[in-house]
Amino acid sequence: MLAAKMNRGNDDNGDRSGDVPDEVAEHWAAPTVPLVTPEGNPGTELDAAREPLNAYVPLPGSKSLTGRELILAALADGPETLRVPLHSRDTDLMVEALRLLGTEITPLPGKNPYGPDLRVTPAEQLTGSTSIDCGLAGTVMRFVPAVAALSLGPVAFDGDPYARKRPMRPVLDALRALGADISDDGRGALPFTVHGMGSLRGGRVEVDASLSSQFVSALLLSAPRFEQGVHVIHTGDRLPSVPHIEMTLEALRARGVEADSPATGEWRVAPGPIQAREITIEPDLSNAAPFLAAALAVGGTVSIPHWPAETTQVGDQLRELLPEFGGTVTLEHGMLTVTGTGKLRGVNIHMPDAGELSPTLVGLAALAALPRPDGTPGEPSTITGIGHTRHHETDRIAALVAEINRLGGNAEELPDGIAIHPAEMHGGLWRAYADHRIATTGALIGLLVSGVEIDDIASTSKTLPQFPELWRGIVPGAEAAEHDGLSLGLDTASEGAAHGAEIAGSLSRFARGFLEGI
């Protein structure tokens, strides 16, 4: 029953994440921090403990912000530069989509090891007569159709096999109501074609955005270029992720656009120019989740530099959510540090506005449910308010329950979340379902459960291609696996291993140099 709901990662075409074919992909052995006795010998004695972490992890730019800023830059009133953007599968697909519509996007030379800054020059007139690959990126399949409606000519959209199962009808129907011509043969999903006419009327529109805040952001981002702007009214029973919509409104206001929320469940954007400006992208705070959670699971500290004091990123909620599991969180001078004892508590969390963080927190809950070294049982947890994550890259509730139980855990699927009951876990295959956050959750569980192998670590390229190297860099004694190079598209296994060691060993120096100059 569960399998029918989930993205297997190989529907129809045999690919896993869309980047690495089955015949060359290898299982990735998640590094484990072993129990060590006070004398330094491995063991499981009652007084054994794990070597604490002491890690400093600089991260590349936010996926959510990079995607939004690329759209706004493509529609702006002049050229601009995006500094420290994320370079990942999702953002690469966004860049290519906008280029196909006539936007000039040029990488700038620099020393950022995560990838170059981008110079974006808007087209005088967006052009269609092209086809856009959405991959599995919700931001591409939902944000770009409104841009395509402003182009001249047909624009065909399609993506990975599972992308055809992701909900699209609300945003397609809303664009039609605003004057767009869209052909989808009644599917309400990929593939579809937007017949661009060079402009869009805009105006008032109702949309049920219960399944995704992206339906609202998709309309707001391009709305300044609509003849009447837009007034979006949410009609569903459940509000979408308000922080993500506020992120969109703030990005618009920062460019001189009149954008507000006149009432709960309503958003307005006035027509007018989108000012070009130089933008520095904040680090991706949601990508920080597994690294920070590792400090709680193992013990020790993990620090993320350049954490903004104020932000619309959902990942900032980690500051309130992680202490529920034990340990402390501090933010001083732009450095967020999580300190843990390795003694996890069970939790009862309701988190409707932070669904993208739920896989990491479910992983922590599974570790909190493990028996203690002294033989006492672990603690149960319940995480709710995440029913909408069934419609993310995969059905995340079903996937997490299936994989935790596959390794001997005791996870129960709830209508709106997951319950974790005390249980021992063992090593084995952890399936990622082509979902980057399911993959990183497997890595987190592998810190305490030896023998966990992830079938598709390359799926992390969706938002953080360097994840395998960075993860091994925080684990005491871990060495870069030879096949880590697959996730970076490197030519040979030895090149992957060398690059992994270089990334893990040099990013702290980079962060204290390059990023300090931003």
Side-chain angles (χ1 to χ4, degrees):
M1 180 66 71
L2 293 179
K5 307 182 209 174
M6 294 183 289
N7 172 16
R8 288 284 184 185
N10 58 2
D11 293 359
D12 299 341
N13 67 355
D15 286 354
R16 289 158 125 70
S17 64
D19 291 338
V20 182
D22 281 341
E23 58 268 22
V24 299
E26 300 177 36
H27 295 168
W28 184 78
T32 300
V33 181
L35 283 166
V36 178
T37 63
E39 292 74 25
N41 298 315
T44 57
E45 289 82 351
L46 298 185
D47 57 353
R50 301 179 194 274
E51 182 178 349
L53 305 185
N54 182 18
Y56 175 89
V57 187
L59 294 172
S62 160
K63 177 179 76 75
S64 296
L65 285 171
T66 299
R68 285 162 172 77
E69 297 296 355
L70 281 167
I71 293 283
L72 293 175
L75 299 176
D77 58 7
E80 65 174 74
T81 299
L82 300 183
R83 300 197 67 198
V84 205
L86 176 66
H87 291 270
S88 69
R89 187 180 188 225
D90 273 21
T91 56
D92 289 348
L93 288 166
M94 179 70 79
V95 166
E96 182 60 21
L98 296 174
R99 281 175 173 157
L100 288 169
L101 295 175
T103 306
E104 182 181 335
I105 304 179
T106 306
L108 302 177
K111 297 181 179 180
N112 181 358
Y114 284 124
D117 295 344
L118 298 174
R119 183 69 171 171
V120 182
T121 303
E124 291 187 11
Q125 172 61 61
L126 293 165
T127 55
S129 301
T130 190
S131 297
I132 287 176
D133 177 13
C134 302
L136 199 54
T139 50
V140 178
M141 68 181 73
R142 292 164 180 161
F143 292 0
V144 179
V147 182
L150 299 171
S151 70
L152 286 173
V155 182
F157 289 80
D158 204 351
D160 291 359
Y162 186 77
R164 296 185 175 190
K165 302 176 183 179
R166 299 192 70 179
M168 283 291 303
R169 187 180 301 279
V171 72
L172 296 181
D173 286 348
L175 286 172
R176 288 190 182 100
L178 296 172
D181 181 2
I182 301 174
S183 303
D184 66 351
D185 294 330
R187 283 183 298 271
L190 290 167
F192 57 83
T193 298
V194 177
H195 300 276
M197 297 175 286
S199 64
L200 198 63
R201 183 186 69 251
R204 185 183 184 278
V205 65
E206 295 184 353
V207 59
D208 183 351
S210 301
L211 295 180
S212 177
S213 64
Q214 290 178 351
F215 299 155
V216 175
S217 290
L219 303 175
L220 303 182
L221 285 167
S222 296
R225 293 284 298 273
F226 300 169
E227 295 169 4
Q228 301 175 20
V230 79
H231 182 184
V232 180
I233 299 174
H234 169 58
T235 60
D237 295 333
R238 189 188 71 83
L239 273 174
S241 175
V242 174
H244 280 106
I245 298 174
E246 182 55 38
M247 175 187 291
T248 299
L249 293 174
E250 184 172 295
L252 286 160
R253 290 191 290 259
R255 294 169 176 272
V257 175
E258 183 182 333
D260 64 4
S261 177
T264 301
E266 292 189 31
W267 303 273
R268 292 185 307 197
V269 173
I274 300 172
Q275 296 173 6
R277 56 189 292 252
E278 182 170 299
I279 300 287
T280 298
I281 306 294
E282 296 174 359
D284 194 308
L285 307 188
S286 294
N287 275 344
F291 298 97
L292 296 173
L296 299 180
V298 177
T301 64
V302 173
S303 298
I304 308 291
H306 306 287
W307 197 280
E310 296 183 6
T311 180
T312 54
Q313 288 193 64
V314 168
D316 194 46
Q317 294 189 34
L318 290 166
R319 290 199 279 163
E320 287 72 45
L321 292 169
L322 290 179
E324 296 290 320
F325 292 89
T328 61
V329 177
T330 61
L331 177 59
E332 296 180 352
H333 309 296
M335 182 82 71
L336 188 86
T337 298
V338 171
T339 302
T341 63
K343 298 178 180 179
L344 290 166
R345 297 197 299 250
V347 299
N348 186 358
I349 294 176
H350 186 67
M351 46 185 295
D353 287 337
E356 66 187 53
L357 305 177
S358 61
T360 294
L361 301 191
V362 169
L364 275 178
L367 295 179
L370 294 175
R372 306 295 190 252
D374 63 4
T376 59
E379 298 185 6
S381 296
T382 303
I383 297 177
T384 57
I386 58 173
H388 58 289
T389 66
R390 296 183 187 278
H391 306 283
H392 284 191
E393 284 78 350
T394 189
D395 180 338
R396 285 180 170 168
I397 291 177
L400 289 165
V401 168
E403 297 314 297
I404 289 170
N405 291 345
R406 175 194 296 275
L407 300 186
N410 187 355
E412 176 188 357
E413 186 173 341
L414 305 176
D416 193 35
I418 295 177
I420 305 288
H421 307 287
E424 181 75 77
M425 295 181 74
H426 55 73
L429 180 65
W430 177 278
R431 296 177 299 179
Y433 304 93
D435 187 327
H436 56 131
R437 302 210 190 279
I438 303 297
T440 59
T441 301
L444 176 64
I445 288 176
L447 288 176
L448 304 190
V449 179
S450 62
V452 175
E453 294 193 351
I454 300 169
D455 73 335
D456 184 17
I457 199 63
S459 60
T460 59
S461 68
K462 179 179 175 69
T463 55
L464 186 57
Q466 300 85 0
F467 176 81
E469 291 76 21
L470 290 169
W471 191 253
R472 289 187 178 277
I474 74 170
V475 178
E479 297 179 356
E482 288 189 349
H483 59 269
D484 282 357
L486 289 172
S487 66
L488 300 175
L490 299 172
D491 293 335
T492 66
S494 60
E495 183 182 353
H499 188 78
E502 178 184 353
I503 286 282
S506 67
L507 278 175
S508 292
R509 295 192 297 275
F510 151 72
R512 298 181 192 277
F514 178 84
L515 285 178
E516 296 296 343
I518 293 176

